[in-house]
């Protein structure tokens, strides 16, 4: 947090998205941990075992994306310092692609986690539903933060058709994340009354 608050160029918003994603997944894992092994939910044990592995891997992947985001930013900084010419233009395009790819990966991972959390919502200990709802809000935030990072980098992409395709896909992912989070919220609302 201290480094983020400083004038250091990285970590930044993309790294925060990775941390927020890891925290959201950890809340989902906590909800699962307090549900697993209870007689009342015994019929779902196979699902819980499968989901536990998926969530653990997702948390690690979000943590890896923090470093990937910082590396992509460093690559962009280095490319922008090159002397003008074809080599710089090529390096900037490569760095831009990396700066777009990392948040797109975070979005895809977040969408997968949201689907897992949505499935868990119907099989979760009701005392943990608010934690699961909070997990969904955090993971949904990853999609929004990543969309911001995608969009800010699109103007630097030389291929404008590709940029529009990425913009459209990113917007669709935001809508999917919103719908998944709202479904989890609705499941929680049924339990909370």
């Amino acid at each position: 947090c201290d480094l983020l608050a400083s004038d250091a160029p990285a970590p930044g918003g993309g790294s925060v998205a990775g941390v927020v994603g890891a925290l959201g997944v950890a809340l989902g894992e906590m909800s699962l941990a307090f549900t697993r092994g209870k007689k009342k939910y015994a019929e779902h044990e196979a699902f819980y075992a499968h989901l536990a592995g998926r969530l653990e891997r997702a948390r690690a992947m979000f943590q890896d994306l923090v470093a990937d985001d910082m590396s992509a930013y460093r690559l962009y900084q280095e490319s922008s310092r090159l002397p003008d010419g074809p080599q710089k233009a090529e390096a900037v395009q490569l760095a831009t692609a990396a700066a777009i790819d990392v948040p797109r990966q975070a979005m895809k991972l977040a969408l997968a986690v949201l689907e897992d959390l949505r499935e868990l919502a119907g099989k979760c200990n009701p005392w943990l539903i608010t934690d699961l709802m909070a997990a969904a809000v955090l993971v949904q935030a990853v999609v929004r933060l990543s969309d911001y990072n995608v969009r800010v980098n699109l103007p630097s992409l030389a291929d404008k058709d590709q940029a529009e395709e990425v913009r459209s896909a990113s917007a669709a992912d935001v809508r999917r994340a919103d719908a998944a989070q709202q479904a989890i919220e609705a499941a929680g609302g049924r339990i909370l009354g």
Side-chain angles (χ1 to χ4, degrees):
C1 285
D2 290 341
L3 185 57
L4 180 63
S6 76
D7 63 354
S15 298
V16 168
V19 172
V20 167
L23 289 171
V25 172
L27 267 175
E29 288 177 291
M30 184 187 81
S31 300
L32 176 61
F34 276 100
T35 303
R36 282 179 88 173
K38 307 292 188 276
K39 262 198 260 188
K40 182 177 180 179
Y41 306 103
E43 68 185 280
H44 305 299
E45 279 304 318
F47 165 73
Y48 296 151
H50 175 73
L51 182 60
R54 285 180 56 84
L55 292 177
E56 183 178 357
R57 284 188 301 279
R59 182 167 35 93
M61 290 170 73
F62 274 126
Q63 290 170 325
D64 289 343
L65 285 168
V66 173
D68 292 350
D69 179 73
M70 292 190 328
S71 294
Y73 186 76
R74 278 193 291 277
L75 183 64
Y76 189 81
Q77 281 186 311
E78 291 167 8
S79 70
S80 65
R81 293 185 188 124
L82 292 172
D84 288 340
Q87 185 179 13
K88 178 179 182 173
E90 185 178 324
V92 166
Q93 287 307 296
L94 180 64
T96 299
I100 291 169
D101 185 57
V102 172
R104 289 295 294 144
Q105 288 180 43
M107 292 173 93
K108 290 176 190 339
L109 179 58
L111 287 168
V113 169
L114 281 167
E115 289 305 316
D116 286 341
L117 296 179
R118 184 188 331 210
E119 191 169 351
L120 179 58
K123 301 171 178 78
C124 183
N125 181 329
W127 293 105
L128 279 295
I129 196 66
T130 55
D131 295 299
L132 189 66
M133 292 163 67
V137 168
L138 292 175
V139 176
Q140 176 198 27
V142 171
V143 177
R144 289 203 171 266
L145 293 169
S146 297
D147 178 61
Y148 300 153
N149 284 327
V150 166
R151 287 189 290 151
V152 77
N153 285 295
L154 287 176
S156 298
L157 207 56
D159 184 337
K160 298 308 174 195
D161 290 337
Q162 181 187 13
E164 187 51 42
E165 186 178 306
V166 172
R167 182 185 323 280
S168 177
S170 187
D173 286 347
V174 169
R175 289 189 298 274
R176 285 180 56 208
D178 290 350
Q181 186 276 326
Q182 289 167 7
I184 295 164
E185 188 85 16
R190 286 189 293 277
I191 292 170
L192 296 175

